[in-house]
């Protein structure tokens, strides 16, 4: 169960890292930095 | 008011981080109850560390809505911790401990009597100031990213309502109190995520996502440190 819980946390980390990268890129595009 | 309240919460959370995450083997003398094994103390300390980051950023921030989901989650966390404290009242040191442990006990009781109502009150007051509308050309969080939290809510429900289920299945020794504390932390994540599920603005998500990164980093580093320290003597 512990590994399932920690695995869920890590899966959340990966998903949120992908989201963060995507949103940050959109912000840079909006601001004309890319 | 929210500005300075955030600083007060930050100041409360930093010592909790230092004791629980930094000195997890000292809880018998320096915490409100003796937490064994170290992994349980580190788990709670990681949550408080992430909270310290969140409230420092809220103190330094100029807008309310980036902090809204986190403050709502913190209000639920504090309310659930008050309930857990009352259920497991006999596990606390009641001030019968060295100075630091006694101070932490009285601080714990005071904080969890007051904070559920104050934090929820701050959230309600500030909510009126947020239109909920995205700024022009603001990045919008895609629909598929809004599902974070449903799993956390289910896990939190098991921890809180049937701690013995988690005690039987967990990788290190839990007690009913430490199982419910993990449930409170999990419920906090769930509440914040569910609130964000109806907010499309990336500016409302960013700080919460950063706080999640801080929490999991502290948790994973702490879990690595705690490997092999599974003594259960005196567990409460």
């Amino acid at each position: 169960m512990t590994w399932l819980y920690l695995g869920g946390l890590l899966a959340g980390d990966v998903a949120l890292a992908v989201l963060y990268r995507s949103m940050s890129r959109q912000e840079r595009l909006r601001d004309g930095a890319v | 008011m929210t500005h300075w309240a955030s600083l007060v919460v930050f100041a409360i959370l930093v010592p909790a981080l230092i004791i629980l995450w930094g000195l997890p083997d000292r809880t018998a003398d320096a915490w409100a109850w003796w937490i064994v094994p170290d992994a349980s103390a580190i788990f709670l300390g990681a949550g408080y560390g992430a909270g310290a980051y969140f409230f420092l950023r809220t103190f330094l921030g100029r807008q309310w809505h980036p902090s809204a989901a986190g403050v709502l989650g913190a209000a639920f966390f504090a309310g659930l911790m008050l309930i857990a404290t009352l259920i497991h009242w006999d596990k606390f040191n009641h001030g019968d401990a060295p100075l630091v442990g006694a101070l932490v006990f009285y601080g714990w009781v005071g904080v969890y009597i007051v904070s559920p109502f104050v934090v929820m009150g701050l959230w309600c007051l500030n909510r009126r100031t947020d239109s909920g509308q995205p700024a022009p050309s603001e990045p919008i969080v895609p629909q598929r990213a809004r599902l974070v939290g449903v799993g956390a809510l289910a896990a939190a429900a098991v921890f809180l309502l049937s701690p013995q289920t988690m005690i039987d299945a967990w990788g290190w020794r839990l007690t009913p109190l430490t199982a419910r504390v993990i449930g409170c932390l999990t419920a906090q994540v769930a509440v914040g995520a569910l609130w964000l599920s109806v907010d499309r603005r990336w500016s409302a998500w960013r700080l919460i996502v950063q706080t999640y990164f801080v929490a999991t980093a502290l948790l994973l580093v702490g879990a690595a440190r705690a490997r092999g320290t599974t003594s259960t003597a005196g567990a409460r």
Side-chain angles (χ1 to χ4, degrees), chain B residues 22 44 127 235:
Chain B
L44 181 56
R127 191 184 166 206

Side-chain angles (χ1 to χ4, degrees), chain B residues 62-77:
Chain B
R62 295 183 178 182
Q63 291 181 298
W64 160 250
H65 78 273
S67 298
V71 172
L72 182 64
F76 272 88
F77 170 77

Side-chain angles (χ1 to χ4, degrees), chain B residues 212-229:
Chain B
Y212 185 88
F213 289 154
V214 172
T216 52
L218 286 172
L219 200 57
L220 293 173
V221 172
R225 281 174 49 210
R227 284 188 70 184
T229 59

Side-chain angles (χ1 to χ4, degrees), chain B residues 32 37 52 57 81 85 92-93 102 113 125 154 162 174 178 192 201 221 228-229 235-236:
Chain B
R57 290 290 308 273
M81 288 290 273
T85 298
F92 289 82
N93 67 34
I113 287 176
L125 281 174
S162 180
L174 293 179
T178 52
R201 297 168 293 180
V221 172
T229 59
R236 291 183 175 181

